[in-house]
Amino acid sequence: MKNRQVLKIKSVIIILFCLQTIYSQSPTWTEIAPGVWKTTIGTPEAYNLFSAAEILPNTNAISKLGEAAFPLSRDKINAETVNCKTFLRFPLDKGEEIFGLGLNFKTVYQRGKILQLHVDHYGGTDNGRTHAPVPFYVSDKGYGVFINSARYITVYAGTGVRKDSPDAPEPKDRNTDKSWTSKPYSDAVEMVVPAAGAEVYVFGGPTALDAIRRYNLFCGGGCLPPRWGLGFTQRVKTLYTSEEVVAEAKSFAEKGFPLDFIGLEPGWQSKAYPCSFEWDKTRYPNPAGFVKTMKDMGIRLNLWTNPYVSPASPMYQALQPYIGSHTVWGGAVPDYTMPEAQKILLNQINKDQVSLGISGYKIDECDGYDRWLWPDVAKFPSGNSAEQIRQTYGVLLQKTTTHQYHDNNTRTFGLVRASNGGASSFPYVIYNDYYSHEDFITALINSGFNGVLWTPEVRSSKTGEEWLRRFQTVCFSPMAMINAWSSGTKPWSYPEVEKEVKNYALLRMQLLPYFYSEFAKYHFEGTPPFRAMNLEPGFDAKAKSELKNDNLGENPYAEAVTKEIKDQYMAGEYLLVAPLFTGQTSRTVILPKGNWYDFYTGKYVGNGEIITVSPGLEKIPVFVKDGGIIPMMPPMLHAPSANEKYDLEIRFYGTNAGRYALYDDDGETFNYEKGDYSWRIITVDRDKKGKLSGSISKVIQGKPDNINKVSWKFMSVE
Ligand code: GAL
């Protein structure tokens, strides 16, 4: 009741406010952290993306990025609130490119798009409806813009042409002028927020990557998964029993395939779609015993759920005061903006799931379709609108469960199908049912612009070739997962490529020290572990056309200049991954400036040029930057546990001196927040005789140290 009254008063104020037009042509910006500016337009709603996620900015880490100048001409930014809508305009320069604006699957360049940012399943078009429609864009001029509103924001990303634009294109006569275009030049990003105000943030550079770092750090830093979260995971068939799950884990061990956690799909619950949130006692008669058996085998468990509560669920009654007006598949829709509802959920999952050692959740169906989700006319007891709740439902569930694991001082790493701005610090990876290998890679690239993680999951394939090609890419992603909930496929299901699949599963394990360190950089420095080539120094889409390559004719970059690069990406500081898709036997790879080396052989492959590679089915092309240091461990079947020591093999590529910060902690708890971690600096230099030699700094006494013997491989030495 109290809530409602406050809301009524607020609504009256907002309506009165909306009767007038508030012009704030050039907003006033306040620097709230080094290189981070905020402005408030009109009367923003109290509930927004940052409040939903309850972000805790890491200002210390932002400070380390240094000062930055306000990156735009302030007088070219316009903002006004008219009739309860907020209109924003930001300038674009000639040739400027922008990225981000949600987890897009088909395109990397967003200039020229019209998007309505709306949490939904991905429907095959980059139109703003997607699993994480983050209202954040990054410019190659080295800044980012974030709109902190949980509304369906419409973005005209360089499409509208104002009559008073200083750059307005001249009208052309289509009858006679061949250069007429239906898409004339636009010099601005314009946005409509359907609310009487909004907070807007600008993140400074100097580079686009710095702007992303500032954004991620402002959201608390990227998540640091547990070490086991970066190992291999298999999701079993939906109606598996506990015996079948145990047998599945055993077969991984027997066949020598790595496995760190198994995902149980809907059948672990006594009711699903809507969900009971409790074990099905016929398939899982003894959850405690089962979880322990798995743990003894070194395997953790992740549980699927969707958020809709079956009348048969033990928490259904208690939730009644805190549910929305509409149901989903007959299940209640809890208003998770309310702490009371969060508490009831946590009570339920703590009872005999989290307390038994369940390592995390897969939170399904919190994105869309409209056909079955609550409509925008739905009402929620908190007074937050159906639209706001739709935009943040996945974020609320990530936050609630993350906080619980944090309270237990145990890290989690889960899956979620909806996210949004502010969620960088939540240890969740987005997935979906769309299953286009090519577009999954584009999504992986775009995830890095949006402060989210994405897995190009593998389910099943028509051929062994497709299976292996998909498998190779998932091993170079945030979550190496087979999602066999329907197919029941195992890594070895295609005997013709079983050996090659195993090699990549084991290579993924060998790369754990590298990937774990890269995630630590996501957490402490904000650098996304998987990201676009456009963020890589020396990768200059414009300069490319000036380069020459005799093998490829006059202008080898002609194709690349006009086409965005959405099929190769950076995995961590040094690795460039260029997947092949079914049917391809060769492909071109665009190498940024600087010397690049083959990951497998250490051989020089090129510098600032397009190369063509034909690696054979058994290989996914991976290249290493000059001076690249890749710390690796033996091909273990499980990620090392808290105090387990492993040997470290340090691979060095190229001829330039190199440096790498190797991260270590217990891999399982949040003790790193209290300083229980170590960075060891690996350096490679040339001695007076020109011989390469490497060293690794000692661990500070009392700090975590999982490393046993260290060996070196200078990969590029003839
Ligand atoms: C889908 C989900 C799949 C799988 C399935 C189980 O919605 O995307 O990954 O979990 O539900 O019914």
Side-chain angles (χ1 to χ4, degrees):
M1 227 16 230
K2 215 173 134 214
N3 246 343
R4 283 205 178 149
Q5 273 163 357
V6 174
L7 274 160
K8 260 190 197 150
I9 297 167
K10 271 194 196 161
S11 314
V12 172
I13 296 173
I14 289 174
I15 288 164
L16 287 175
F17 186 84
C18 284
L19 293 177
Q20 40 180 323
T21 301
I22 306 301
Y23 285 97
S24 158
Q25 289 292 353
S26 187
T28 313
W29 296 92
T30 311
E31 190 167 8
I32 50 171
V36 182
W37 293 265
K38 178 182 170 182
T39 191
T40 302
I41 315 297
T43 313
E45 294 166 299
Y47 186 71
N48 54 44
L49 295 176
F50 282 165
S51 71
E54 290 180 56
I55 59 157
L56 287 173
N58 184 347
T59 357
N60 252 344
I62 297 176
S63 305
K64 288 191 192 140
L65 288 171
E67 300 292 325
F70 191 80
L72 292 152
S73 313
R74 290 169 201 256
D75 57 353
K76 287 193 178 157
I77 303 172
N78 283 64
E80 54 187 301
T81 299
V82 186
N83 294 337
C84 282
K85 283 190 177 170
T86 300
F87 299 85
L88 304 167
R89 186 166 86 233
F90 284 84
L92 284 176
D93 277 354
K94 285 238 160 70
E96 180 173 358
E97 196 44 80
I98 59 169
F99 309 96
L101 293 170
L103 189 66
N104 289 303
F105 286 72
K106 288 198 178 286
T107 53
V108 176
Y109 290 179
Q110 300 308 319
R111 188 165 183 172
K113 294 276 187 54
I114 298 169
L115 304 159
Q116 200 195 36
L117 303 176
H118 189 311
V119 168
D120 204 344
H121 74 287
Y122 180 69
T125 317
D126 288 355
N127 59 9
R129 284 194 174 236
T130 181
H131 306 271
V134 183
F136 180 52
Y137 69 85
V138 190
S139 156
D140 62 0
K141 299 268 172 204
Y143 67 89
V145 175
F146 181 79
I147 316 301
N148 186 20
S149 166
R151 293 282 173 184
Y152 305 144
I153 301 169
T154 307
V155 185
Y156 301 89
T159 59
V161 185
R162 295 175 331 279
K163 63 179 184 194
D164 60 350
S165 160
D167 304 307
E170 287 297 316
K172 290 182 175 173
D173 174 19
R174 194 180 181 184
N175 289 338
T176 55
D177 189 343
K178 286 220 161 48
S179 69
W180 181 93
T181 165
S182 61
K183 293 176 185 163
Y185 179 75
S186 159
D187 65 358
V189 177
E190 294 176 288
M191 291 172 271
V192 187
V193 184
E199 287 177 3
V200 182
Y201 292 78
V202 166
F203 294 88
T207 65
L209 186 55
D210 290 323
I212 296 170
R213 287 183 178 122
R214 285 183 210 272
Y215 166 78
N216 284 331
L217 292 171
F218 195 75
C219 298
C223 68
L224 179 58
R227 210 178 337 245
W228 57 260
L230 300 179
F232 198 78
T233 180
Q234 173 87 9
R235 302 201 71 85
V236 297
K237 264 192 119 157
T238 186
L239 293 183
Y240 258 30
T241 62
S242 51
E243 283 101 42
E244 286 170 310
V245 177
V246 172
E248 181 117 332
K250 279 192 184 143
S251 58
F252 268 75
E254 278 157 20
K255 288 176 177 288
F257 277 83
L259 184 64
D260 269 294
F261 61 112
I262 279 190
L264 307 186
E265 288 288 318
W268 75 269
Q269 299 198 41
S270 58
K271 296 251 182 322
Y273 294 88
C275 296
S276 61
F277 291 81
E278 62 175 4
W279 294 92
D280 178 89
K281 286 293 163 64
T282 58
R283 288 182 285 272
Y284 296 86
N286 175 11
F290 166 61
V291 177
K292 182 166 183 312
T293 307
M294 296 297 292
K295 191 152 186 260
D296 293 345
M297 294 168 72
I299 312 292
R300 290 176 165 81
L301 291 160
N302 173 287
L303 300 181
W304 171 99
T305 195
N306 68 44
Y308 312 115
V309 184
S310 160
S313 170
M315 62 177 183
Y316 185 78
Q317 282 312 326
L319 276 170
Q320 287 311 300
Y322 315 112
I323 59 177
S325 57
H326 287 62
T327 59
V328 176
W329 299 307
V333 183
D335 184 340
Y336 283 126
T337 66
M338 303 180 79
E340 297 88 341
Q342 296 174 11
K343 223 170 127 198
I344 294 167
L345 172 72
L346 293 179
N347 270 343
Q348 178 62 26
I349 66 167
N350 278 332
K351 231 179 351 194
D352 58 359
Q353 296 159 36
V354 179
S355 60
L356 298 185
I358 289 301
S359 71
Y361 287 84
K362 168 176 171 179
I363 305 166
D364 205 25
E365 305 286 2
C366 45
D367 46 348
Y369 294 61
D370 283 355
R371 183 68 195 83
W372 54 69
L373 249 60
W374 61 92
D376 288 348
V377 301
K379 294 268 185 307
F380 284 87
S382 62
N384 290 315
S385 70
E387 173 182 349
Q388 290 170 307
I389 293 194
R390 173 81 175 259
Q391 292 293 69
T392 54
Y393 214 61
V395 170
L396 292 167
L397 284 156
Q398 291 179 66
K399 174 186 72 179
T400 306
T401 45
T402 299
H403 287 180
Q404 180 62 58
Y405 278 96
H406 191 263
D407 289 351
N408 299 351
N409 197 24
T410 311
R411 274 183 254 172
T412 179
F413 199 42
L415 290 144
V416 72
R417 236 174 53 187
S419 196
N420 211 327
S424 315
S425 72
F426 299 138
Y428 279 89
V429 182
I430 306 172
Y431 65 96
N432 71 4
D433 295 334
Y434 172 66
Y435 214 52
S436 154
H437 190 191
E438 285 87 341
D439 294 358
F440 271 17
I441 299 309
T442 306
L444 183 58
I445 289 167
N446 282 326
S447 64
F449 291 120
N450 288 285
V452 296
L453 301 173
W454 162 261
T455 173
E457 65 165 48
V458 188
R459 291 187 167 192
S460 60
S461 293
K462 289 201 185 77
T463 60
E465 178 197 359
E466 184 194 340
W467 183 249
L468 179 55
R469 286 305 187 202
R470 285 181 179 272
F471 198 92
Q472 288 165 340
T473 47
V474 87
C475 289
F476 287 90
S477 85
M479 193 180 274
M481 171 170 79
I482 295 181
N483 182 10
W485 72 276
S486 163
S487 62
T489 327
K490 322 277 181 255
W492 53 86
S493 288
Y494 297 79
E496 66 273 35
V497 291
E498 178 179 342
K499 197 174 106 242
E500 290 78 9
V501 164
K502 188 192 264 185
N503 284 345
Y504 273 96
L506 293 172
L507 177 60
R508 165 73 178 202
M509 298 308 287
Q510 287 179 275
L511 285 167
L512 282 197
Y514 174 72
F515 281 135
Y516 194 55
S517 299
E518 294 306 310
F519 267 96
K521 289 164 201 171
Y522 187 34
H523 177 71
F524 291 101
E525 295 163 12
T527 310
F530 297 91
R531 52 188 190 275
M533 295 310 305
N534 303 75
L535 297 172
E536 186 60 20
F539 182 87
D540 179 354
K542 277 140 212 151
K544 281 184 306 190
S545 58
E546 290 154 21
L547 295 171
K548 288 247 156 61
N549 179 327
D550 290 341
N551 297 329
L552 288 154
E554 261 306 279
N555 182 357
Y557 289 93
E559 184 199 65
V561 172
T562 48
K563 268 176 77 181
E564 53 200 341
I565 306 310
K566 50 184 191 170
D567 61 354
Q568 63 178 76
Y569 59 96
M570 292 302 297
E573 191 170 345
Y574 289 124
L575 298 181
L576 187 167
V577 183
L580 274 92
F581 304 107
T582 310
Q584 276 186 317
T585 49
S586 73
R587 63 159 290 167
T588 53
V589 182
I590 299 174
L591 300 172
K593 282 187 195 133
N595 292 338
W596 289 83
Y597 298 84
D598 183 287
F599 169 73
Y600 307 96
T601 62
K603 286 211 172 87
Y604 172 79
V605 290
N607 175 339
E609 62 194 280
I610 291 184
I611 56 166
T612 301
V613 289
S614 318
L617 184 56
E618 72 286 356
K619 266 190 194 151
I620 177 173
V622 180
F623 305 101
V624 192
K625 216 192 292 190
D626 200 357
I629 291 173
I630 311 293
M632 295 175 71
M633 66 173 210
M636 292 159 66
L637 298 189
H638 306 293
S641 53
N643 300 311
E644 191 178 345
K645 298 239 176 202
Y646 56 85
D647 292 343
L648 190 73
E649 176 186 297
I650 302 174
R651 291 197 188 174
F652 177 76
Y653 293 82
T655 53
N656 264 346
R659 182 186 182 279
Y660 188 76
L662 177 74
Y663 179 77
D664 209 353
D665 65 11
D666 66 24
E668 291 174 12
T669 73
F670 289 92
N671 294 355
Y672 66 85
E673 291 179 347
K674 299 181 210 116
D676 262 352
Y677 61 83
S678 46
W679 287 105
R680 295 180 71 175
I681 305 304
I682 303 175
T683 36
V684 172
D685 278 313
R686 284 189 175 282
D687 63 17
K688 281 184 197 127
K689 288 183 190 144
K691 199 170 165 272
L692 287 170
S693 71
S695 66
I696 176 165
S697 67
K698 289 213 163 49
V699 178
I700 299 170
Q701 230 194 335
K703 297 284 182 190
D705 178 13
N706 285 286
I707 291 157
N708 228 358
K709 228 177 75 218
V710 177
S711 62
W712 296 83
K713 252 194 187 169
F714 294 95
M715 297 293 293
S716 308
V717 174
E718 295 290 309

